[in-house]
């Protein structure tokens, strides 16, 4: 279920009220709360499940967790429930040491029992100290590899901590909240034996924990979780003529992914992997859209942007399944037309070389991978190869034998991890290579390729829109197409809400998918003979789609073959409002290893920090109060007795 950047609350022990009237008075409970709490940002690690069990984080039970805040490096001897404040390198030491499980926690039971929450610091100086941070495996999703060498280390920085289960909450703090909590922890250290201490109250209660459903099959049955997934997008250039009963042009398929993963759910930017590939695809489409004569070329270009690839290649596997079923969402496509002959790879390599030669000034070099590699690196092509081993394809990467991205599948893979010039170079290479391939490698004048140029400003604008909060999804380009629900982008796949559809309710489609759909539909469209007609949802003609439908008064029908395709596990079926897990199908070799990822439901997620009195001090006050009360009773009784005697004498 969707969740936004979370709120942490700071409670100050002293509330200063003005009796002079100079400051605003407290007129209601909300006013009092507003004066007592300071709001900051944070991002949680949440509970995910698969057919084998659970991963991620959750409160251990049904109640909130309250614990004193201390720095991890100063918490060697914990004697009370503690929320530890850790740096990112300390997080790996806490959660994962040597055997993909927390060494310190697993070998010190008392230490483990007393750590009930983790607060993770963030900041540029913390990132600069790290050699790398990748919480996924050294061979991500090795179970889908089309070759046996699944122990190969593509991701040398991989620790695997995000694929373990933790029965305590973990939050990533924003930079501002990091400095605040550091002050709180330091204050707690100074007054270790004082009568007050600052505590963190974690509200990360998962419905699967409350219901006792600890795997995907049971939680889907009890409706305490939802399947991971979303909506992929494909588009063709030029648009496919749907009136033809048979499409004869061979298809060249360009694939990119738009979802990433992270230990922290809503901090999944994936700038280098995979969003740089998405940016290159969008920029290449824009460059090719300005070329005329596509109907005269020998091959059909199809652009496929997948979601769910970080979680079992949900997008590519579902797309291939719909192709087999010839569903409405892939009408106009035929898997037999996707070039799968061995010569296609050679043609593609030749096209890349020719495109490289035409871009000599760009310092681009295309090289074949090292022969020692076991096969292709983790990518969507794995799903295609597992489906049909005769599939021919090329994976374009910026590495050879291992990832150069030291922050793969982490919140640190942000805009600082890529540069626009590299994206422009990749987009230029792709655009020109595709044109050569679509022309069937026919001889062409260098001026033709020279006219295919990538818009550098577009790439920089896309980076700002999709990889940062400023301007984020509120940028003019995005707002020109959709009404975004969020400002800060996150490329976490999310969950499937409601029944999957090829014409989904747009409220169930995330911002990035809707933007990509509109962008591709616009760039791959052809002019209509008549003036463009306005629209708010659908168009009357089968070959048309309505772009900018979310913008009041700006929706317009264009001729374009652009479609949504649901992305969710091929082992799932939605029936009568309930998700059911299907048994493995012998015709689907990937189904037997499909984890069937789901995400736990929750009511609220929150974290607040406030000051409480020490329990011993409370006991002292209680005993003192009782003592004073007893003494007061005897004093009153004695005084009454004396007064009574005095009155009798009188």
């Amino acid at each position: 279920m969707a969740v936004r950047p979370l709120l942490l609350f700071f409670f100050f022990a002293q509330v200063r009220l003005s009796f002079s009237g100079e400051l605003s008075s407290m007129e209601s409970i909300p006013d009092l709360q507003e004066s007592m709490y300071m709001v900051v940002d944070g991002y949680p690690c949440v509970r995910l499940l698969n057919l084998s069990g659970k991963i991620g984080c959750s409160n251990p039970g049904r109640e909130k967790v309250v614990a004193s805040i201390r720095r991890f490096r100063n918490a060697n001897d914990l004697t009370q429930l503690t929320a530890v404040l850790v740096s990112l390198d300390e997080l790996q030491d806490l959660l994962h040491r040597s055997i993909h499980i927390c060494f310190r926690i697993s070998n010190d039971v008392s230490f483990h029992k007393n750590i009930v929450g983790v607060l993770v610091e963030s900041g540029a100086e913390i990132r600069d100290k790290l050699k790398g941070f990748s919480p996924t495996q050294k061979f991500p999703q090795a179970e889908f590899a089309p070759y046996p060498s699944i122990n190969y280390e593509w991701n040398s920085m991989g620790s695997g901590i995000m694929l373990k289960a933790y029965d305590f909450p973990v939050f990533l703090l924003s930079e501002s909240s990091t400095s605040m909590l550091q002050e709180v922890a330091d204050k707690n250290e100074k007054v270790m034996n004082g009568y007050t201490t600052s505590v963190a109250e974690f509200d990360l209660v998962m419905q699967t924990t409350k219901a006792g459903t600890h795997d995907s099959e049971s939680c889907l049955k009890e409706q305490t979780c939802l399947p991971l997934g979303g909506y992929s997008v494909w588009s063709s250039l030029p648009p496919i003529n749907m009136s033809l009963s048979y499409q004869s042009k061979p298809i060249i398929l360009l694939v990119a992914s738009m979802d990433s993963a992270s230990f922290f759910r809503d901090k999944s930017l994936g700038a280098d992997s995979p969003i740089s590939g998405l940016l290159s695809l969008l920029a290449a489409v824009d460059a090719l859209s300005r070329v005329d004569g596509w109907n005269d070329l020998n091959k059909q270009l199809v652009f496929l942007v997948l979601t769910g690839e970080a979680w079992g290649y949900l997008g590519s596997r579902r797309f291939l399944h719909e192709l087999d079923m010839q569903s409405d969402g892939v009408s106009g496509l035929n898997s037999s037309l996707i070039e799968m002959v061995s010569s296609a790879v050679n043609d593609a390599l030749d096209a890349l070389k020719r495109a490289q030669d035409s871009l000599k000034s760009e310092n681009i070099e295309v090289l074949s991978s090292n022969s020692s590699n076991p096969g292709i690196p983790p990518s969507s092509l794995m799903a295609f190869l597992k489906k049909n081993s005769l599939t021919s394809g090329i994976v374009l990467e910026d590495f050879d034998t291992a990832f150069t991205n030291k922050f793969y599948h982490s919140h640190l893979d942000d805009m600082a991890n890529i540069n626009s010039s590299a994206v422009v170079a990749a987009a230029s290479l792709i655009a020109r290579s595709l044109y050569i391939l679509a022309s069937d490698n026919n001889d062409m004048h260098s001026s033709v390729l020279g006219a295919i140029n990538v818009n550098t400003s577009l790439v920089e604008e896309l980076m700002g829109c999709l990889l940062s909060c400023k301007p984020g999804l509120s940028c003019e380009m995005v707002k020109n197409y959709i009404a975004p629900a969020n400002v800060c982008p996150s490329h976490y796949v999310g969950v499937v809400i409601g029944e999957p559809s090829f014409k989904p309710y747009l409220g169930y489609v995330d911002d990035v998918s809707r933007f990509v759909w509109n962008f591709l539909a616009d760039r791959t469209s052809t002019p209509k003979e008549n003036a463009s007609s306005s629209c708010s949802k659908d168009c009357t003609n089968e070959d048309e789609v309505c772009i900018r439908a979310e913008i009041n008064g700006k929706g317009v029908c264009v001729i374009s073959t652009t479609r949504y395709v649901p992305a969710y596990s091929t082992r799932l079926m939605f029936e009568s409002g309930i998700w059911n897990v299907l048994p493995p199908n012998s015709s689907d070799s990937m189904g037997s290893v499909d984890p069937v990822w789901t995400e736990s439901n929750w009511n609220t997620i929150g974290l607040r920090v406030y000051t409480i009195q020490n329990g011993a001090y409370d006991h002292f006050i209680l005993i003192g109060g009782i003592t004073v009360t007893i003494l007061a009773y005897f004093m009153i009784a004695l005084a009454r007795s004396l007064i009574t005697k005095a009155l009798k004498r009188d």
Side-chain angles (χ1 to χ4, degrees), residues 447-478:
S447 61
V448 177
L449 288 181
I452 303 175
N453 294 304
V454 168
N455 185 340
T456 302
S457 298
L458 172 70
V459 171
E460 292 173 349
E461 187 175 2
L462 284 170
M463 288 176 64
C465 295
L466 299 179
L467 292 175
S468 87
C469 291
K470 297 180 180 180
L473 296 174
S474 63
C475 68
E476 286 303 316
M477 180 182 296
V478 172

Side-chain angles (χ1 to χ4, degrees), residues 4-5 79 96 101 144 177 228 262 313 318 401 465 512 566 636:
R4 306 303 167 214
T79 58
H96 170 83
I101 194 168
F144 293 98
S177 59
L228 293 192
S262 167
Y313 298 113
R318 175 57 60 175
T401 58
C465 295
V512 176
I636 292 171

Side-chain angles (χ1 to χ4, degrees), residues 124-316:
E125 70 283 356
I126 297 173
R127 176 199 180 109
D128 294 339
K129 293 178 183 178
L130 292 173
K131 294 181 179 179
F133 178 75
S134 177
T136 190
Q137 310 109 309
K138 294 185 181 298
F139 190 149
Q141 305 190 92
E143 61 270 26
F144 293 98
Y147 47 81
S149 304
I150 60 174
N151 293 320
Y152 186 83
E153 294 188 3
W154 289 104
N155 181 26
S156 61
M157 300 305 302
S159 64
I161 60 172
M162 68 181 287
L163 296 174
K164 301 296 179 182
Y166 306 100
D167 289 326
F168 49 83
V170 182
F171 279 77
L172 173 70
L173 305 173
S174 67
E175 291 191 30
S176 59
S177 59
T178 293
S179 60
M180 293 176 186
L181 276 172
Q182 287 172 341
E183 293 179 7
V184 170
D186 291 340
K187 182 179 179 182
N188 278 352
E189 294 288 340
K190 292 177 182 178
V191 293
M192 185 68 68
N193 297 317
Y195 72 91
T196 63
T197 184
S198 294
V199 298
E201 182 185 85
F202 297 89
D203 186 358
L204 194 67
V205 179
M206 299 285 112
Q207 291 293 328
T208 51
T209 302
K210 294 175 68 175
T213 50
H214 301 305
D215 60 64
S216 289
E217 189 163 14
S218 62
C219 74
L220 288 172
K221 183 178 180 180
E222 297 297 325
Q223 301 185 57
T224 59
C225 66
L226 287 171
L228 293 192
Y231 285 89
S232 302
V233 177
W234 71 271
S235 185
S236 67
L237 183 67
I240 296 171
N241 188 345
M242 294 299 180
S243 63
L244 298 178
S245 58
Y246 179 74
Q247 309 296 330
S248 58
K249 281 188 177 183
I251 293 173
I252 300 170
L253 191 63
L254 180 65
V255 183
S257 175
M258 60 177 158
D259 79 290
S260 185
S262 167
F263 191 83
F264 305 100
R265 182 192 191 275
D266 294 310
K267 202 67 173 174
S268 303
L269 285 173
D272 183 65
S273 179
I275 302 303
S276 63
L278 171 63
L279 297 174
S280 298
L281 181 146
L282 296 178
V285 172
D286 175 73
L288 292 170
S289 69
R290 297 190 293 273
V291 177
D292 296 326
W294 283 103
N295 287 316
D296 300 326
L297 298 183
N298 300 324
K299 296 178 182 177
Q300 179 77 48
L301 293 186
V302 173
F303 306 99
L304 175 61
V305 181
L306 299 165
T307 192
E309 295 301 272
W311 300 97
Y313 298 113
L314 298 176
S316 51

Side-chain angles (χ1 to χ4, degrees), residues 19-176:
F19 295 97
S20 64
E22 294 178 359
L23 298 178
S24 59
S25 62
M26 301 298 174
E27 298 181 354
S28 65
I29 295 299
D31 288 340
L32 179 61
Q33 290 176 333
E34 186 175 349
S35 70
M36 293 165 60
Y37 297 95
M38 183 177 295
V39 178
V40 292
D41 297 326
Y43 303 88
C45 158
V46 301
R47 174 72 78 224
L48 300 181
L49 305 98
N50 56 32
L51 293 178
S52 301
K54 59 186 181 180
I55 68 169
C57 313
S58 171
N59 280 17
R62 303 184 179 189
E63 305 298 331
K64 298 177 182 179
V65 170
V66 179
S68 175
I69 303 170
R70 293 182 63 182
R71 288 181 182 268
F72 176 63
R73 61 174 177 265
N74 300 331
N76 293 320
D77 300 313
L78 298 181
T79 58
Q80 61 180 344
L81 298 182
T82 304
V84 290
L85 180 65
V86 303
S87 63
L88 205 54
D89 55 338
E90 290 173 335
L91 177 67
Q92 293 197 107
D93 180 47
L94 176 65
L95 301 181
H96 170 83
R97 185 181 291 178
S98 75
I99 55 173
H100 296 277
I101 194 168
C102 178
F103 177 84
R104 186 170 187 177
I105 286 179
S106 62
N107 287 276
D108 189 335
V109 176
S110 62
F111 191 90
H112 179 201
K113 287 183 177 180
N114 284 323
I115 290 185
V116 295
V118 179
L119 303 165
V120 185
E121 300 172 337
S122 62
E125 70 283 356
I126 297 173
R127 176 199 180 109
D128 294 339
K129 293 178 183 178
L130 292 173
K131 294 181 179 179
F133 178 75
S134 177
T136 190
Q137 310 109 309
K138 294 185 181 298
F139 190 149
Q141 305 190 92
E143 61 270 26
F144 293 98
Y147 47 81
S149 304
I150 60 174
N151 293 320
Y152 186 83
E153 294 188 3
W154 289 104
N155 181 26
S156 61
M157 300 305 302
S159 64
I161 60 172
M162 68 181 287
L163 296 174
K164 301 296 179 182
Y166 306 100
D167 289 326
F168 49 83
V170 182
F171 279 77
L172 173 70
L173 305 173
S174 67
E175 291 191 30
S176 59

